[in-house]
Amino acid sequence: MAKHDKAKRGIPSKDDFNAWYPAIVEIADLVDKRYPIKGMDVWKPYGWKAMTLIDTLTRAEMERTDHEEYNFPLLVPEDLLDKENRLVSLLKKAREEGVDPSELRLDEEEGGFKKEVYWVKHAGENELDVPMFLRPTSETPMYTMFPLWVRSHGDLPLKTFQIVNTFRYETKQTRSFIRVREIHFFEAHTAHKDQAGADEQITQDAEIVQNLLHDLCFPAIVSKRPLWDTFPGAWYSTAVDVVMPNGRTLQVATYHHYKDQWAKAFDLKYEDTNGQTQFCHQTTFGMSERMLGAVVGMHGDDAGLIFPPKIAPIQVVLMPVAAHLDHTVAPTIEEMAAQLKAAGFRVKVDNRDIRPGAKHYDWEIKGVPLRLELGPRDIKSGQFVMSMRTGGKEFHDSSELINVVSDALTRTENELRVRSAAHMSHFVIPFPGITQTDGGWQLNSDLEDGKVYEFAFDGNDSDAEILERASGLTFLGDCIEPFAEPRPCAVTGRMTTRRQHLARMY
RNA sequence: GGGCCCGUGGGUUAGUCUGGUCUAUGCUAGAUCGUUUGGGACGAUUUGACCCAGGUUCGAAUCCUGGCGGGCCCA
C-alpha cells in the first residue's frame, strides 16, 4: 500500500540507485534537467540554496585559514595555454626520464584537456585571431596574474580562492551534480616561499576537507593518487572519494602539491630576505557540486532526501493542523516560527490548503530534518508534535521549543553519521587476494559487484596493473590512514602498512 | 573508444511492429468553484502533447536518413 503510494510520486527504490538518483534530484526540486543542453541543469531555488549553504561552509573555512576570495574571468585566450602545455609535456618527459620506469604507464593520454573545452571563436561578425575557451579550471588565468602580484617574500604566502562555474565538454553520460558540463566549482590556489610552506598548506587542506565532511555527516576515503593517475603538472595529488550506494566511488575533492614546477613555467618568483630570486611553491585545492551529489546519495532513502541540518535549506517546517477549527492555531504557529527564526534556524510555515499527510510526504521527499505539527489539541495541552526525518514522532512542551529543536538537529546529525559510517563499512570489504598460477594471476575468489576492496599493497606499477586487470577495478591510491600493523602485500607478499583500495569510480 | 535502446500534454503512459478508423488513451499534476484538513480528500467544470529537419507516400505519431536530446551495456 505505502509502496504503491510512493510509486505514484515516481520515486524508485534506492536499491536501484541508477534510477533513484536522477529521479530524486528532480522530484525533490533540486534541479530541472529539461534545459536543452546535455549536462547543464537549471538549479531550482531549493537545490541552489543547499549548494550555497555548502559554499557558505567552505567560505567560513577559507576565512578561518586566511584565504581571500577572488573572481577571475571566464574566458581564457588560447595562447596562454601554451605555457601550460609546454610545462605539461616537459614534466611528462621529466617524469619518464627521472622516475623508476616501473612507475610509468605507456598509454598516457595525449593532448591534455583541449578536447574537453568549449571554444569561443567568433565575436559578433568577426572570427577571433586568438580564440578563447571557457575555463575548465583556472590555473592558466590565475598563474598569468600571480607573477604580477608577487614580487617579494612579503607578498607570500598568497592564498586565493574562488567559487565560480567552469565548463567541460563531457561526451559521456551526464548525471546531475556528478558529471556535468557546467560545474559549480570551488578552487583554492596558493603560492608559498618554499616547499615547507606548500606542505603545510596541503595539511591544512586535508583538515578543511575533514571539517566539511563532518558538517555534511559522511566519511570518505582520502588517498594519495598513484603516480600514473596524477595530473602531470602536479608533484602529487590527494583525492577524497566518497562511496556511493551503488558501490562506485565519487571523487569530491582533490588537492595538488605543485612544488615549484608551475612557478618555473609561469615565471612566478620573488626576492627573498637575502635579495636572492626564488621560485614559489604552489598548491591547488578543488571541490565542486559533487559534494551535493554525495549528500544526496549518501543520506537519501526510499522516501526521499535527508539533508544534514547544516546545509538543509529548510531545517524545520511548521504545519498548522485544522486551523479553521481554532483561530489561535495560525497565530501560535507564526509565533513559534518567529521564535525559531530569531534563534537562527531556517524555518518554513506550510500554510497550504491541503491535507496534513500530503505535507508530510512533500517535506519527507525534500529531506527537511524536522517537521512540527500544531493543532487545537496541542494548543490545549501546551505541546507540539515533532516528526524527525530520520525517524520518530515525539510530543514536547511548547516552552521547550528552542532546546528541543536544537537538540533534535544535533541528534539528526549524529544519526546520519552513524548511518553513513555503517554504509561505508558495508561497502568497503577486504580483498580476497590473488595468486599466480601457470595460467596467470587468479583471484582467490570472485569479486562482488558494487564493493570497494581494501588491502595492503607495496608493489610497483606492473603489480598494480595485475590487480586492476584481474579485478576490473581502479586503484584509489595510498590511503592516508595506513594499517596499524604491517600486513603482506597482496601481490609481492612484502610486509607493509600501506593501505590501498580498488573501486569502480564515477 | 565500440555496441544497443528510446523521444507523445508539466510528469507518466496507450497507440508505432501491420501508415488511413489518432486534431491521439489512461493515470497524475495544473486551473476554477464547492465541500474538506491530526499521515497522500472528494465532486463538478476545465487547460494541455506526437523532439527538429529532410525523405518515401494519395496519406506519417507510425517507415527511412540526419541532427539534437535521453538512457543502457562493454572496453
Side-chain angles (χ1 to χ4, degrees):
Chain A
M1 174 67 175
K3 260 191 180 153
H4 178 73
D5 287 344
K6 276 175 207 149
K8 283 195 338 195
R9 275 297 178 126
I11 308 181
S13 163
K14 200 182 177 190
D15 295 336
D16 185 2
F17 184 70
N18 293 336
W20 179 89
Y21 182 87
I24 201 67
V25 295
E26 280 199 304
I27 296 169
D29 216 22
L30 303 179
V31 294
D32 194 328
K33 286 188 283 207
R34 291 171 299 178
Y35 191 75
I37 300 178
K38 179 186 165 89
M40 295 193 186
D41 298 345
V42 177
W43 289 88
K44 300 288 292 289
Y46 194 67
W48 184 244
K49 181 78 185 175
M51 191 65 239
T52 55
L53 285 165
I54 294 176
D55 292 342
T56 300
L57 296 176
T58 306
R59 283 201 172 90
E61 286 294 310
M62 289 291 102
E63 179 85 11
R64 183 178 70 76
T65 54
D66 297 320
H67 289 73
E68 287 193 294
E69 185 161 8
Y70 284 70
N71 200 310
F72 278 75
L74 167 63
L75 290 174
V76 189
E78 183 183 29
D79 50 3
L80 285 190
L81 207 54
D82 293 345
K83 279 181 188 167
E84 181 169 338
N85 285 340
R86 236 180 294 130
L87 167 69
V88 167
S89 60
L90 205 85
L91 290 173
K92 213 180 248 179
K93 212 169 134 209
R95 187 179 284 180
E96 281 162 17
E97 285 167 358
V99 163
D100 174 356
S102 70
E103 293 288 345
L104 281 172
R105 291 203 168 182
L106 299 174
D107 55 6
E108 281 201 72
E109 286 201 11
E110 291 300 324
F113 60 94
K114 265 198 162 180
K115 279 189 304 194
E116 52 183 70
V117 298
Y118 284 94
W119 288 96
V120 176
K121 302 203 170 181
H122 294 266
E125 305 268 293
N126 304 318
E127 190 167 337
L128 295 170
D129 288 344
V130 180
M132 300 182 278
F133 59 91
L134 307 186
R135 60 180 164 221
T137 168
S138 303
E139 273 82 352
T140 307
M142 284 189 155
Y143 302 170
T144 299
M145 298 306 289
F146 280 12
L148 304 177
W149 298 336
V150 175
R151 313 208 57 173
S152 92
H153 60 87
D155 298 323
L156 296 171
L158 176 65
K159 297 172 76 165
T160 73
F161 79 99
Q162 63 176 1
I163 298 178
V164 293
N165 47 183
T166 60
F167 294 82
R168 292 178 196 175
Y169 177 63
E170 293 286 352
T171 53
K172 293 282 181 198
Q173 183 187 345
T174 57
R175 206 180 295 273
S176 300
F177 312 136
I178 292 177
R179 176 171 282 119
V180 291
R181 288 173 163 182
E182 179 171 358
I183 308 164
H184 181 74
F185 194 57
F186 157 88
E187 49 184 329
H189 296 258
T190 65
H192 307 266
K193 284 181 207 159
D194 49 25
Q195 191 183 322
D199 290 346
E200 225 171 89
Q201 186 56 51
I202 292 295
T203 307
Q204 191 172 66
D205 292 344
E207 179 189 303
I208 291 169
V209 167
Q210 289 308 321
N211 289 345
L212 289 173
L213 292 177
H214 183 76
D215 285 343
L216 299 178
C217 305
F218 55 78
I221 300 172
V222 183
S223 315
K224 187 173 160 185
R225 284 279 189 258
L227 192 60
W228 68 79
D229 198 22
T230 300
F231 169 51
W235 179 37
Y236 69 85
S237 301
T238 308
V240 180
D241 296 291
V242 171
V243 184
M244 294 295 263
N246 56 1
R248 284 208 189 187
T249 58
L250 181 68
Q251 179 179 314
V252 294
T254 334
Y255 31 98
H256 303 286
H257 194 312
Y258 282 165
K259 240 175 154 178
D260 55 357
Q261 345 191 89
W262 285 78
K264 285 173 178 162
F266 282 84
D267 210 26
L268 176 57
K269 53 197 182 192
Y270 68 97
E271 209 170 309
D272 68 15
T273 46
N274 302 320
Q276 300 292 307
T277 299
Q278 305 283 355
F279 284 104
C280 292
H281 285 247
Q282 291 172 273
T283 76
T284 71
F285 172 22
M287 292 187 294
S288 73
E289 61 186 90
R290 278 186 162 199
M291 216 42 118
L292 181 56
V295 167
V296 170
M298 188 62 74
H299 297 312
D301 62 19
D302 282 356
L305 296 181
I306 304 181
F307 268 114
K310 289 259 166 46
I311 65 153
I314 299 170
Q315 294 169 311
V316 186
V317 69
L318 295 138
M319 310 188 320
V321 175
H324 63 296
L325 298 178
D326 181 340
H327 293 289
T328 60
V329 168
T332 309
I333 211 148
E334 289 298 339
E335 167 56 24
M336 287 170 74
Q339 274 185 49
L340 288 166
K341 274 180 196 164
F345 298 107
R346 291 185 289 277
V347 175
K348 180 173 177 70
V349 176
D350 185 354
N351 274 321
R352 287 177 301 166
D353 185 22
I354 55 175
R355 300 187 76 89
K359 294 182 185 179
H360 279 287
Y361 280 96
D362 274 2
W363 297 115
E364 258 168 18
I365 289 168
K366 292 191 158 201
V368 173
L370 302 178
R371 303 186 296 280
L372 306 189
E373 261 174 84
L374 186 88
R377 184 186 73 197
D378 309 306
I379 300 243
K380 284 198 190 76
S381 63
Q383 291 189 312
F384 63 90
V385 184
M386 178 175 76
S387 306
M388 297 182 65
R389 181 59 181 83
T390 48
K393 192 167 180 173
E394 307 170 357
F395 289 80
H396 291 283
D397 287 344
S398 299
S399 57
E400 293 294 313
L401 178 65
I402 302 297
N403 288 339
V404 166
V405 164
S406 165
D407 176 61
L409 290 176
T410 305
R411 280 193 282 150
T412 299
E413 289 190 325
N414 291 337
E415 173 63 18
L416 291 178
R417 285 187 197 113
V418 167
R419 288 185 189 183
S420 55
H423 164 95
M424 185 88 142
S425 54
H426 172 75
F427 281 103
V428 181
I429 61 175
F431 184 65
I434 190 166
T435 312
Q436 191 165 24
T437 66
D438 295 341
W441 288 87
Q442 285 282 328
L443 290 169
N444 294 351
S445 74
D446 285 344
L447 299 184
E448 257 181 275
D449 239 12
K451 294 287 183 191
V452 176
Y453 287 96
E454 181 179 86
F455 52 95
F457 178 78
D458 191 27
N460 59 25
D461 178 58
S462 57
D463 297 328
E465 211 160 355
I466 287 166
L467 285 172
E468 289 197 345
R469 282 255 169 81
S471 65
L473 302 173
T474 308
F475 261 85
L476 298 186
D478 264 296
C479 184
I480 56 160
E481 294 174 62
F483 289 114
E485 298 293 329
R487 305 178 180 201
C489 166
V491 178
T492 66
R494 277 197 301 272
M495 294 303 281
T496 179
T497 57
R498 291 174 63 193
R499 187 200 298 256
Q500 303 258 1
H501 297 90
L502 278 168
R504 188 150 176 227
M505 296 169 83
Y506 260 112

